[in-house]
Amino acid sequence: MWRSTAALLGGALAVGVLLGWAAERSAAQNNPLPPGKNRELVSGRCIICHSLEIVAQQRQDRAGWDVILDRMISYGAPIPPEDKPVILEYLATHLGP
Amino acid sequence: MRNNYDGPEMDPVLYALKVDGEVDSPLTLRLDDLRSMAQITQTITLECAGNGRGFHTPKASGLQWENGAVGNAVWRGVRLADVLRLARPRPAARHVVPDGNDAPPTPQAPDFIRSHPIWKAMEPHTLIALEMNGRPVPHLHGGPARLLVPGWIGSASLKWLTRLTLADKEWGGPFMQRSYRSPRAEDPKQTYSLQSLECKSLIIRPLDGTRVAAGPQTVFGFAWAGEGTIVAVDVSTDGGKSWVAARLSGDEHRYAWRRWEFAWDAKSGAQTLMARASDSLGRVQPSSRPPDPQGYRWNVIHAVRVNVA
């Protein structure tokens, strides 16, 4: 009995791990932001308040992104000062005009 | 549907609307109080100020809408004026500041509030809507009670209304003073707060990029004009060189879009159809728009390209 329970649990665990892995993989594939250095950092900061689709839709030069980032920070976006230039660099590089 | 922020679904039994500020009799109304007042029914077109933002050049920041941020529904509810008069506004009451049950995602982000001048609030078409298309206003559409400020940009029609404060001046928050503003034509460094929608029409059939059978067929669409009313829609089948009047075929309601139709004898090949609306305020849809950094009120003449075979 305990053997079959253990096997069942083990199987369920394996399925769970696989499902988790698949979800993580599909989340990465579904990220609408273009691939590039620090994409995960940018994704994590922005998605706390809004979808990443709205970020991916924008085309702004560096000055335009700077204004938007400052506004988001003034609205309470959780972006520590040291992260701002990193995020700005990503946005200006990958979502320019 | 578009919200600046979301809010939790509200219990209609617990619903309360406060009216305060520059009034002699501040009051709180329940949903049943609102239901017991005179109800009016109106067909109203709502359009987001940012509809068509994706077409602006240079690129404007914000949701990159194409043509979909507009809709038409039958709304029923109480005149806002009737509710405000119950509270007996003082002479100093020049603006109405509505607030809703939505909440920003962080405590630092500003509450979504935009005020309206008292003249528009008191206008007999301005409503607190309780029903949409014959049913209680669904949560997603701002139920149980929302504002409808007809003819004005969609953000004027606040969802999940819980408070009306009468004030001596316009609201000073960023959704009034930074957003929903466009550059002035005479001095683009100055901006003004957006109120009325523009004069605009869309071709609904045929759809852009589709294949169409050669021969006679009906082209149709909708046209609306904010504070104006549609007086004509003209259609061009030759890239804008010549224009022929379409027939205004739908019912006419103040503040609702008007259906129009055009009999087209489609000739084989790549064809372009254009529709251009004109309104009672003398406005005609333009062939271009000046730059608008926030990308509001796009109303350039709509063109669809089809393959006729």
Side-chain angles (χ1 to χ4, degrees):
Chain A
M1 181 67 185
W2 72 267
R3 255 172 217 269
S4 60
T5 308
L8 211 66
L9 278 175
L13 195 69
V15 169
V17 166
L18 269 173
L19 280 177
W21 172 79
E24 199 170 299
R25 197 178 142 81
S26 106
Q29 282 170 347
N30 289 339
N31 188 332
L33 292 181
K37 193 176 167 203
N38 294 312
R39 177 174 78 161
E40 300 320 310
L41 171 72
V42 175
S43 306
R45 296 288 188 244
C46 300
I47 205 162
I48 290 184
C49 292
H50 56 71
S51 76
L52 298 179
E53 278 77 8
I54 193 168
V55 183
Q57 285 181 353
Q58 313 301 316
R59 295 293 180 276
Q60 295 286 323
D61 59 17
R62 187 172 294 266
W65 277 118
D66 199 25
V67 169
I68 292 174
L69 265 182
D70 282 342
R71 189 162 76 238
M72 295 303 143
I73 290 167
S74 79
Y75 287 0
I79 299 174
E82 65 273 20
D83 282 355
K84 191 196 150 186
V86 177
I87 293 171
L88 181 58
E89 181 63 28
Y90 171 88
L91 295 170
T93 305
H94 300 286
L95 295 168
Chain B
M1 209 128 39
R2 165 72 174 140
N3 312 315
N4 277 270
Y5 305 131
D6 285 321
E9 203 151 325
M10 299 166 80
D11 183 340
V13 176
L14 302 179
Y15 177 83
L17 170 64
K18 276 172 98 166
V19 187
D20 59 9
E22 293 285 352
V23 294
D24 282 335
S25 313
L27 50 91
T28 299
L29 297 170
R30 298 286 182 178
L31 210 53
D32 281 344
D33 300 325
L34 292 171
R35 286 189 187 123
S36 71
M37 296 170 68
Q39 308 286 305
I40 58 166
T41 304
Q42 282 193 117
T43 306
I44 293 172
T45 294
L46 280 177
E47 185 186 21
C48 176
N51 198 21
R53 181 181 285 123
F55 303 130
H56 280 266
T57 50
K59 280 285 180 204
S61 73
L63 261 184
Q64 300 298 301
W65 287 109
E66 293 183 348
N67 291 317
V70 59
N72 192 64
V74 180
W75 300 93
R76 183 173 169 83
V78 198
R79 286 198 170 98
L80 177 59
D82 290 349
V83 170
L84 296 179
R85 287 195 185 108
L86 282 180
R88 303 177 57 216
R90 294 182 183 137
R94 306 276 299 279
H95 298 267
V96 177
V97 184
D99 197 5
N101 196 46
D102 54 342
T106 67
Q108 294 96 320
D111 199 355
F112 181 76
I113 295 180
R114 301 188 66 247
S115 64
H116 308 307
I118 194 86
W119 66 264
K120 183 64 179 174
M122 290 298 199
E123 211 233 296
H125 298 90
T126 301
L127 291 186
I128 298 175
L130 309 176
E131 287 182 18
M132 177 190 183
N133 296 332
R135 311 181 71 159
V137 180
H139 171 70
L140 278 174
H141 289 279
R146 69 172 295 171
L147 274 187
L148 273 180
V149 183
W152 285 25
I153 58 170
S155 63
S157 294
L158 186 89
K159 297 189 185 88
W160 312 301
L161 179 71
T162 54
R163 188 171 183 175
L164 295 160
T165 303
L166 286 113
D168 60 351
K169 48 182 183 294
E170 159 178 300
W171 182 248
F175 289 104
M176 200 70 198
Q177 305 301 333
R178 196 197 60 76
S179 303
Y180 302 109
R181 304 181 75 88
S182 285
R184 287 189 183 282
E186 63 277 15
D187 177 8
K189 286 196 192 72
Q190 304 284 319
T191 61
Y192 67 100
S193 184
L194 301 178
Q195 297 182 337
S196 175
L197 294 169
E198 296 280 38
C199 176
K200 181 168 176 176
S201 61
L202 288 176
I203 299 169
I204 306 299
R205 197 174 73 191
L207 288 172
D208 191 41
T210 53
R211 184 181 293 269
V212 171
Q217 52 198 286
T218 303
V219 175
F220 81 86
F222 292 98
W224 62 98
E227 287 285 0
T229 51
I230 292 293
V231 294
V233 175
D234 297 302
V235 173
S236 174
T237 57
D238 58 7
K241 286 198 275 292
S242 65
W243 295 87
V244 179
R247 188 169 71 89
L248 301 180
S249 58
D251 294 341
E252 188 176 2
H253 299 282
R254 181 86 179 103
Y255 297 120
W257 66 25
R258 187 89 192 266
R259 187 187 152 107
W260 55 266
E261 289 181 12
F262 177 78
W264 183 38
D265 188 14
K267 303 272 187 292
S268 294
Q271 304 286 353
T272 300
L273 289 160
M274 299 162 86
R276 182 186 69 188
S278 310
D279 78 0
S280 56
L281 304 175
R283 302 182 298 181
V284 181
Q285 279 189 265
S287 51
S288 67
R289 257 189 104 84
D292 185 335
Q294 298 186 76
Y296 292 125
R297 295 194 302 173
W298 178 263
N299 72 329
V300 165
I301 295 168
H302 187 213
V304 300
R305 286 155 198 89
V306 292
N307 266 313
V308 182

